[in-house]
Structures are given as C-alpha cells and as structure tokens.
Amino acid sequence: MSSTKDIILNCARDQFLSDGYKGLSMRRIAAKADISATAIYRHFSNKEELFHCVLEKGFNTYTRYLTPALDASTAKERFRKTLAYTLAFVLEHPRYFELIFVRSDTKDQLVHHDELRTRSKMSFDFYTARIRECMDEGYLKQDDPSELSVLLLATFTGFFSLYTSGVLPRSQGEIEALFWRTTERILTGIAA
C-alpha cells in the first residue's frame, strides 16, 4: 500500500506532466490525492519542495534500476544489463522516464537545484563508464566514450519517447523484442 506522501508525489508528477511546472497546484494535487489542501503541507512546505521531491524520486528510481548492472562480471555483461535495466525502468515507470528525460521544463527547474542537476547527469556518466569499460575490454571499437554515450542515450530516449507516446507497440513482449532488434543494429556498428 502506498503512503500518503507517495500518493502525493505521484499525483504531483502526473499533474506536472499534463500542466507543466507553472500549472502545478497544491490544491489540485491534494484533491487528486483525496486529502485536504492543508494536509499536503504536512508533507511539503511548498510547490518547489514538492517538485524537488518528485524529481528526486524519479532519479532515485532510475538509479535503483541501473546499479545492479554493476554486479555483472564482464564489461560486456554490465553494458547489456544496463540496457536491459533501462528498458525495465521505462516499461515499469514510463511517467518517471518522461519526467526526467523528455520534459524540457524539468531541465528548466534543474537550474535551481545543484544536487538534482548532478543526479540528472548520472545516467550519462553511468553509460559512459560502461562504454569505456567495453572499449577497454575490446567489446566496442575505440572511440570517444562520451560521444558514443550521447549517441546511445539520444537513440534510446527517442525510442522510449515513441513508446510512451503510443507510436510503438504497447505490449511488453513486442516492445522488448523491437528494442533488442534495434539495439543489436546499433551494436553491430560500434562493436569491435
């Protein structure tokens, strides 16, 4: 069962995705969460703190998905698990994917929060480290790991944006198969 705070965070996330930061209303969030307008202030002092916590929950959730990839024994396995866990994150938390990767007004708000801006860069750094390891291990061609990370993240963000917008198949089996087929095409071009 979700806590009141989690319900509020989910309602705030959904309202932000539909109305943007300027459209966030503590009253409307409270109404959606089925609590009184004053009760929301027991958990969050203002709209900015609430939105900060929404972003933090999104980044924390994504980090929890990625970090188990580090348990794999080879660079290739860590890289492929990173891709698999990213896919799982998007399938299980499409709204958080949209919040932290797609919405431009999320980036506008990050300007005011150094610690969140650092967290937002984590996925790029995580991908870049896995790519660098794969180059060192000989799985991927030698190249600029940061530029390759940009290429892969841009490709995957585009792919997942097509999925969350409803353009791609919606069944889990179909989207997983399509993701791995397109990923293998990319990997063929960058494999050593």
Side-chain angles (χ1 to χ4, degrees):
M1 183 176 211
S2 295
S3 71
T4 300
K5 187 173 183 176
D6 284 334
I7 292 168
I8 293 167
L9 288 171
N10 289 339
C11 291
R13 177 204 60 211
D14 292 347
Q15 187 183 60
F16 169 76
L17 289 173
S18 65
D19 301 330
Y21 183 78
K22 289 182 181 177
L24 278 180
S25 159
M26 298 293 266
R27 275 192 199 288
R28 285 192 296 173
I29 293 166
K32 272 196 151 189
D34 200 27
I35 61 173
S36 70
T38 55
I40 199 169
Y41 289 99
R42 287 187 208 128
H43 301 279
F44 306 98
S45 59
N46 56 40
K47 177 172 101 169
E48 184 173 299
E49 179 188 355
L50 173 57
F51 186 66
H52 182 279
C53 289
V54 168
L55 285 176
E56 187 173 55
K57 184 175 179 184
F59 290 131
N60 287 343
T61 303
Y62 188 46
T63 299
R64 279 196 311 276
Y65 272 77
L66 289 181
T67 52
L70 297 174
D71 295 335
S73 58
T74 68
K76 179 180 178 180
E77 290 170 358
R78 286 188 292 276
F79 179 65
R80 293 187 71 84
K81 283 186 179 283
T82 296
L83 300 179
Y85 294 148
T86 299
L87 174 62
F89 168 74
V90 173
L91 293 177
E92 294 169 25
H93 300 282
R95 306 289 282 168
Y96 277 115
F97 162 77
E98 187 178 352
L99 174 79
I100 62 179
F101 285 104
V102 178
R103 291 298 299 250
S104 62
D105 39 356
T106 298
K107 281 93 183 141
D108 296 341
Q109 293 307 310
L110 289 176
V111 169
H112 308 295
H113 302 282
D114 290 340
E115 75 284 356
L116 286 176
R117 200 169 49 253
T118 300
R119 297 290 304 282
S120 74
K121 193 175 174 302
M122 190 281 304
S123 61
F124 178 79
D125 293 341
F126 194 90
Y127 272 80
T128 302
R130 302 296 71 77
I131 290 166
R132 186 174 291 113
E133 291 177 332
C134 286
M135 288 177 185
D136 293 345
E137 194 176 85
Y139 173 58
L140 298 178
K141 294 175 189 172
Q142 289 298 316
D143 201 337
D144 182 314
S146 294
E147 289 183 11
L148 194 51
S149 188
V150 168
L151 170 68
L152 291 175
L153 283 171
T155 301
F156 297 142
T157 299
F159 180 90
F160 293 136
S161 293
L162 291 172
Y163 167 71
T164 58
S165 69
V167 173
L168 297 180
R170 298 302 291 176
S171 83
Q172 184 167 338
E174 288 176 306
I175 200 64
E176 287 174 348
L178 181 59
F179 173 78
W180 287 111
R181 284 194 310 271
T182 57
T183 297
E184 292 305 328
R185 286 185 176 101
I186 294 168
L187 295 180
T188 297
I190 62 176

